[in-house]
Amino acid sequence: MSEIERLRSQLKRLSLHMMAQIFEEEALKASKSEMSYTAFLARLVDEEVAAKIDRSVSARIAKARLPVLRTLEEFDFAFQPSLAPARLRELAELGFLERAENILFVGRPGVGKTHLSIALALRACQARKRVLFVQAMDLLESLLAADATRGLGKLIETLGRLDLLVVDECHNLMPSPFGEDSDLCRMVRLLAPRFEHRLFLSATPHNGHTR
């Protein structure tokens, strides 16, 4: 085994895969440019760190279960002139997590609530936050199934470890005028104590409700 092969093998054993991939080419560049040993090593380490961050973000996006990838830059604010771009850009800074604020998008069908929810969830993933995007009915079914199998506490605990929970299409969250809350309303009452500043809802008003 040559020295290069041995070094590449050792780097892989240390899980320094990017360094193993580029060190030979970078060594040639460093030799030609008379780069110092320290600068050469720093270059390899920078590339390895960047690659690990990329892999971490990709893993978080996969775990977030985003239905599609949507960005804030892709959103057509001309289509929704009532929305303030500056306000959405502020939300994209994720300060609401630090300020312990929940977010609720309310609007008629087709106005972009899901697009914006996904875009902000994606920003949170890129900030290396633990995120889950879920449809309200899917989450409700999971909670009911867990309750039936006496696993509700474990599921709530798992959800509680998230940095951000995005619940899309919460159409039936308004308390019932007849004194009995819907299953979805009870779901939010159950989750809210665990997500004092990490719950992000989108909803379409209906049945006469405007908020």
Side-chain angles (χ1 to χ4, degrees):
M1 179 182 295
S2 70
E3 196 71 16
I4 288 178
E5 291 172 342
R6 186 178 70 83
L7 179 55
R8 182 175 290 112
S9 176
Q10 296 288 56
L11 287 170
K12 289 180 178 179
R13 288 184 63 183
L14 293 170
S15 296
L16 300 174
H17 299 289
M18 179 55 69
M19 290 178 68
Q21 179 180 329
I22 68 172
F23 81 89
E24 189 174 4
E25 180 181 353
E26 291 298 324
L28 290 174
K29 292 179 181 178
S31 177
K32 291 179 180 179
S33 64
E34 298 184 352
M35 182 184 293
S36 70
Y37 295 129
T38 302
F40 168 61
L41 180 58
R43 166 70 175 166
L44 293 181
V45 171
D46 286 346
E47 289 297 321
E48 184 66 40
V49 170
K52 287 187 182 298
I53 290 174
D54 287 343
R55 288 194 294 269
S56 173
V57 169
S58 296
R60 290 174 190 276
I61 291 173
K63 290 180 180 180
R65 301 179 188 174
L66 302 178
V68 293
L69 295 184
R70 294 284 185 266
T71 66
L72 195 59
E73 291 74 19
E74 294 172 336
F75 189 77
D76 185 5
F77 285 98
F79 176 69
Q80 289 298 332
S82 62
L83 287 176
R87 176 57 176 151
L88 269 299
R89 285 193 289 269
E90 180 185 350
L91 288 175
E93 296 295 326
L94 307 179
F96 64 91
L97 292 176
E98 297 179 2
R99 294 191 300 270
E101 296 174 353
N102 293 323
I103 304 298
L104 174 63
F105 280 161
V106 180
R108 297 297 175 185
V111 298
K113 300 182 302 298
T114 297
H115 182 135
L116 293 173
S117 299
I118 292 173
L120 294 177
L122 181 59
R123 284 291 180 91
C125 290
Q126 292 168 339
R128 305 180 76 181
K129 302 294 185 181
R130 290 166 296 186
V131 179
L132 178 63
F133 183 100
V134 62
Q135 295 286 324
M137 289 305 301
D138 292 338
L139 180 58
L140 175 60
E141 289 176 3
S142 295
L143 291 169
L144 292 175
D147 190 30
T149 58
R150 299 183 179 180
L152 183 59
K154 184 177 180 180
L155 177 57
I156 294 296
E157 182 180 347
T158 298
L159 293 172
R161 288 195 291 267
L162 295 169
D163 294 309
L164 178 64
L165 174 63
V166 183
V167 184
D168 195 30
E169 301 296 344
C170 296
H171 294 332
N172 300 308
L173 294 180
M174 293 297 294
S176 168
F178 304 106
E180 182 178 351
D181 290 344
S182 68
D183 285 338
L184 280 171
C185 189
R186 288 193 291 272
M187 175 193 76
V188 170
R189 292 187 191 280
L190 179 65
L191 291 175
R194 302 277 183 148
F195 291 88
E196 292 182 359
H197 62 282
R198 295 165 293 166
L199 190 59
F200 193 129
L201 308 176
S202 74
T204 300
H206 72 127
N207 294 338
H209 296 300
T210 59
R211 63 189 191 278

